[in-house]
Amino acid sequence: MELQDLAIDGYERVLRVSDADAGLTGVIAIHSTRFGPAVGGLRMRPYQTEQAALDDVLRLARGMTYKNAAADLPLGGGKAVIIGDPARDKTPARLTAFGQAIEALEGRYWTAEDMGMTPADLEIVARSTGYVAGLASGEYASGDPSPVTARGVFEAARTTLAHATGSDDLVGKRIALQGLGNVGRALAGMFAEAGATLLVTDMDQARVDEAVAALGATAIAPDAIIAAGADLFAPCAIGGILDAASIPTLKVRAICGSANNQLATPEDGSRLMARGILYAPDYVVNAGGIINAATEVLRIRDRAPFTETRLAAITEFLDRAFTRARAEGVGPEVIADRLVEEKLAAPPADAIAAK
């Protein structure tokens, strides 16, 4: 096992992880431990180059700092990647070796499930490190984060609609929902139960058929969902879908969904604002998953009160971002970043108390 420190400005520690015997190459990035141990998922992808893997893990680690701070969690931000095709290259030896690398950080970074990884994979990683969250079993196991993520998005959508339309009542509201995976399907059920009219799409037609039958949803072709007329568009699939080409076709009042990195570029936030479409910053909206995992990291047995408090923090943060964005004439995503950066720049509470 070889751990090579990479000096990256703005990051507390970045490690290149390699193990020739296990066939392992990966990266662990710790962006910030300002509020607590860095927490973020482990991703496995067939990156074309090591630089591409490094670029991805740095972006994701920074995003976790912002997500955790927005949800008022006592956690920092980090991320990890393994280079390889999860369908072909994932082996117990690679996962065990990566767990050893995480263990060497002595709790400064906790990992969890992400793209290309499963709960069963995490169980293997956990054989060589105690710093794994999102396990299916164990005294503090937090299990499937999807229901909590969906709850957070649902409440965020109500807050977004309240600012966009003047009411958070979902009865009769048209919701165009893209993606019926674990989070998207749970969210669709919540919208339907609240009285919304659902327009749904997914690349898996069986998922669409099930939602139509169970929820009375209307099926929309995947390439037509963005332009479907609705009160709110909920992207719950891939990222980067809001760009210079798609934004002019939108026929909605607001956007709020669980997908990561929905804006293709920073300029796309300005494009939405110019069209009068209210955008809920995705890293704020989809923080339910990390809230769920935090109960495991923080060793919380009575999870419900903690979860409810932190889910409320999502909507409170979103409400402040919308209000300040309107007052300053900028996009909510700009204000969300500023609110987090102000929090990160503030002196620690113990330093204030000592003055």
Side-chain angles (χ1 to χ4, degrees):
M1 169 71 68
E2 181 179 351
L3 303 177
Q4 178 188 358
D5 272 287
L6 306 177
I8 306 290
D9 288 343
Y11 290 77
E12 292 185 12
R13 194 171 185 188
V14 180
L15 284 176
R16 181 184 184 273
V17 180
S18 61
D19 187 316
D21 292 338
L24 170 68
T25 303
V27 186
I28 300 172
I30 297 175
H31 178 259
S32 172
T33 57
R34 166 72 170 76
F35 298 118
V39 181
L42 170 58
R43 173 174 292 195
M44 187 172 187
R45 287 185 60 191
Y47 296 98
Q48 294 301 306
T49 65
E50 286 197 31
Q51 186 61 50
L54 179 61
D55 291 343
D56 197 31
V57 77
L58 293 178
R59 175 181 59 83
L60 293 166
R62 179 180 180 274
M64 288 307 302
T65 294
Y66 280 57
K67 184 192 298 283
N68 293 338
D72 199 27
L73 293 169
L75 302 173
K79 207 77 174 183
V81 299
I82 294 174
I83 299 174
D85 184 343
R88 184 186 67 238
D89 303 324
K90 193 190 298 179
T91 65
R94 281 188 173 90
L95 298 177
T96 299
F98 206 86
Q100 293 168 351
I102 294 169
E103 184 69 18
L105 290 168
E106 300 180 327
R108 291 188 65 202
Y109 168 69
W110 283 68
T111 201
E113 183 183 352
D114 201 333
M115 185 184 298
M117 302 297 291
T118 68
D121 297 329
L122 291 183
E123 296 287 350
I124 297 174
V125 175
R127 294 174 188 170
S128 52
T129 181
Y131 304 110
V132 178
L135 297 173
S137 62
E139 184 178 2
Y140 298 99
S142 57
D144 181 9
S146 300
V148 182
T149 304
R151 272 278 314 285
V153 178
F154 176 76
E155 296 300 338
R158 291 181 58 201
T159 299
T160 304
L161 283 169
H163 280 265
T165 70
S167 173
D168 66 357
D169 186 358
L170 287 166
V171 175
K173 291 288 198 306
R174 285 169 61 88
I175 309 292
L177 193 150
Q178 180 189 49
L180 290 165
N182 290 340
V183 174
R185 177 58 179 84
L187 180 61
M190 294 175 190
F191 281 140
E193 186 176 355
T197 299
L198 283 172
L199 313 176
V200 300
T201 197
D202 193 281
M203 297 305 292
D204 184 339
Q205 187 59 41
R207 291 178 176 177
V208 175
D209 294 342
E210 188 278 332
V212 169
L215 305 176
T218 298
I220 302 293
D223 60 358
I225 192 70
I226 290 178
D231 294 289
L232 182 136
F233 174 45
C236 299
I238 60 173
I241 59 167
L242 300 173
D243 57 22
S246 65
I247 289 172
T249 71
L250 285 164
K251 301 171 185 175
V252 297
R253 301 283 297 279
I255 298 172
C256 179
S258 65
N260 287 307
N261 305 311
Q262 295 167 24
L263 300 178
T265 69
E267 292 75 25
D268 294 312
S270 298
R271 292 188 177 101
L272 289 172
M273 186 178 173
R275 291 215 50 215
I277 298 171
L278 187 63
Y279 170 67
D282 50 63
Y283 72 80
V284 179
V285 168
N286 64 21
I290 191 62
I291 290 171
N292 189 72
T295 63
E296 198 164 352
V297 175
L298 301 172
R299 297 299 192 246
I300 296 173
R301 285 191 175 89
D302 190 6
R303 299 170 58 213
F306 177 89
T307 300
E308 292 303 316
T309 298
R310 292 321 190 274
L311 287 176
I314 291 177
T315 55
E316 290 164 7
F317 184 96
L318 201 55
D319 185 68
R320 279 186 287 139
F322 286 149
T323 300
R324 185 165 154 183
R326 185 182 303 110
E328 297 186 20
V330 297
E333 75 285 353
V334 175
I335 296 300
D337 284 358
R338 287 181 189 170
L339 288 171
V340 169
E341 288 155 7
E342 289 166 6
K343 186 174 183 178
L344 290 168
D350 55 357
I352 296 172
K355 288 185 178 179

